[in-house]
């Protein structure tokens, strides 16, 4: 755990230190989010925060390769090349979009290319870690992998509508996933507790934590598409690695159900972004509009419309993410009954915070998201 904590700290510090440089680049290159009638921010705000996040990710992986505890993970470099290389492609695509506002088809093609590169390097969603059952053909799983990664990238992009929201949600959800992956690796491995999935999740949490001080309300910089797509890509990659690294036959009866959680936990982490994206696409298609047509009806916009302040709306989204993500991850250590009861209590608390008396009286103007 100390080694992973060190990697997390490296990712956080590097990202924090590089973010002012990313902000300077955004101002110099014209990657600035202007103020429109539908927006929350009061002054034009630079984006390109994803550049700093990628810098933190790259340095963290380079430093991890020099640590004896994790050195074995780099014996087969293909998965790491797939993750870091794919992240570089996604970040470059996002930087181009932050500067020049690419059309949706160009972005989609770039996302598919990055996901395809990840699959080409062997990071494939190819098994359900239950009783050693392999489902589908290799071509099927390449397709499923690409679709999963693209959906995750766009889900995070859709939810990135308030200062600190996407980075905080991924930090909280990633922390739950990190703890689960670490505990599951200890429960299924003999002697060697190093894990690529745990390493990737430590880096993910680190870059989110390092970026948050600059992005919390009122934000000095936005992550932009370069950041939101990067976070979605890394989360999807970590989830895919978990399903492929665990030997189902080595899982004891005590942890046999948690071994299936890698399929469910990423959905719990991204449930709010996925729900928001699904509702947005359905809503726009019913109205005869493009799925990428911006509006003011996202989940976080609805919280603002209920009268919550900017900070309170973000905090409520954090609470929902923590309840759902840690609720699923808790299956690794607690009984199903205990987890269901505790999660139920958490849902009640989150609901009271969402609809309770803490709301303000005057709705806040909301920012349109993708």
């Amino acid at each position: 755990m100390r080694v992973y904590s060190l990697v997390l700290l490296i990712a956080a510090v590097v990202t924090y230190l590089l973010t002012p440089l990313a902000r300077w680049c955004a101002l110099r290159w014209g990657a600035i989010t202007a103020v429109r009638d539908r927006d929350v921010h009061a002054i034009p705000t630079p984006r390109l925060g994803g550049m700093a996040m990628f810098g933190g990710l790259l340095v963290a992986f380079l430093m991890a390769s020099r640590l004896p505890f994790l050195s074995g993970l780099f014996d087969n470099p293909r998965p790491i090349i797939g993750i870091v290389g794919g992240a570089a492609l996604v970040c470059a695509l996002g930087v181009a979009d932050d500067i020049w506002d690419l059309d949706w088809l160009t972005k989609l093609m770039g996302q598919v290319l990055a996901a395809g590169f990840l699959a080409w390097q062997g990071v494939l969603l190819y098994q359900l870690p239950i009783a050693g059952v392999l489902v589908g053909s290799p071509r099927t799983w390449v397709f499923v992998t690409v679709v999963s990664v693209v959906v995750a990238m766009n889900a995070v992009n859709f939810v990135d509508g308030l200062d600190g929201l996407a980075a905080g949600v991924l930090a909280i959800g990633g922390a739950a996933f990190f703890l689960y992956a670490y505990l599951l690796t200890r429960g299924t491995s003999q002697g060697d507790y190093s894990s690529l999935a745990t390493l990737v999740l430590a880096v993910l949490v680190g870059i989110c934590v390092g970026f948050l001080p600059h992005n919390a309300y009122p934000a000095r910089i936005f992550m932009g598409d370069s950041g939101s797509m990067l976070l979605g890509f890394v989360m999807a990659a970590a989830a895919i690695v978990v399903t492929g690294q665990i030997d189902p036959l080595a899982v004891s009866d005590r942890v046999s159900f948690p071994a299936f959680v890698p399929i469910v936990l990423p959905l719990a982490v991204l449930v709010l972004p996925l729900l928001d994206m699904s509702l947005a696409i359905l809503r726009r298609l019913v109205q005869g509009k493009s799925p990428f047509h911006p509006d003011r009806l996202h989940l976080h916009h609805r919280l603002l419309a209920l009268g919550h302040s900017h900070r309170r709306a973000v905090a409520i989204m954090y609470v929902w993410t923590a309840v759902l993500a840690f609720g699923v991850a808790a299956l690794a250590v607690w009984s199903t009954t205990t987890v269901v009861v505790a999660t139920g209590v958490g849902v009640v608390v989150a609901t009271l915070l969402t609809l309770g008396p803490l709301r303000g009286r005057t709705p806040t103007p909301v920012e349109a998201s993708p």
Side-chain angles (χ1 to χ4, degrees), residues 150-318:
V150 171
V151 168
M153 284 190 283
N154 284 286
V156 178
N157 189 31
F158 268 71
V159 81
D160 182 29
L162 295 178
D163 297 354
L165 180 56
V169 165
L170 268 294
I172 294 169
F177 204 173
F178 166 79
L179 292 174
Y180 172 80
Y182 176 77
L183 293 173
L184 187 57
T185 301
R186 288 183 63 91
T188 58
S189 300
Q190 297 296 327
D192 183 9
Y193 298 148
S194 61
S195 160
L196 179 57
T198 312
L199 171 61
V200 174
L201 288 163
V203 173
L204 173 67
V205 175
I207 61 178
C208 289
V209 170
F211 182 69
L212 263 174
H214 300 280
N215 186 235
Y217 181 82
R220 288 178 49 80
I221 184 173
F222 295 154
M223 67 173 63
D225 280 13
S226 58
S228 61
M229 292 193 299
L230 175 67
L231 295 183
F233 178 89
V234 176
M235 174 59 75
I240 293 168
V241 170
V242 170
T243 66
Q245 75 172 23
I246 297 171
D247 180 7
L249 298 179
V251 180
S252 66
D253 292 339
R254 172 65 187 89
V255 296
S256 59
F257 177 70
F260 182 68
V261 173
I263 304 297
V264 180
L265 186 49
L267 299 178
V269 172
L270 296 175
V271 63
L272 295 181
L274 289 171
L275 176 62
D276 194 25
M277 182 181 69
S278 300
L279 292 175
I281 291 175
L282 179 61
R283 178 174 65 247
R284 293 163 187 175
L285 290 177
V286 169
Q287 296 172 350
K289 299 178 181 178
S290 165
F292 300 96
H293 181 78
D295 60 30
R296 299 185 296 178
L297 297 174
H298 289 274
L299 295 178
H300 45 276
H301 298 147
R302 295 178 186 273
L303 288 174
L304 293 175
L306 284 173
H308 293 292
S309 67
H310 191 123
R311 289 189 177 90
R312 191 179 299 132
V314 171
I316 288 171
M317 297 286 278
Y318 287 176

Side-chain angles (χ1 to χ4, degrees), residues 50 53-55 57-58 61 80-95 114-115 117-118 149 153 207 225-227 229-231 233-234 237:
M53 291 181 178
F54 178 74
L57 179 146
L58 183 61
F61 270 104
I80 295 175
I81 291 173
I83 294 170
V84 177
L89 290 173
V90 168
C91 183
L93 175 68
V95 168
F117 179 79
L118 183 71
V149 173
M153 284 190 283
I207 61 178
D225 280 13
S226 58
M229 292 193 299
L230 175 67
L231 295 183
F233 178 89
V234 176

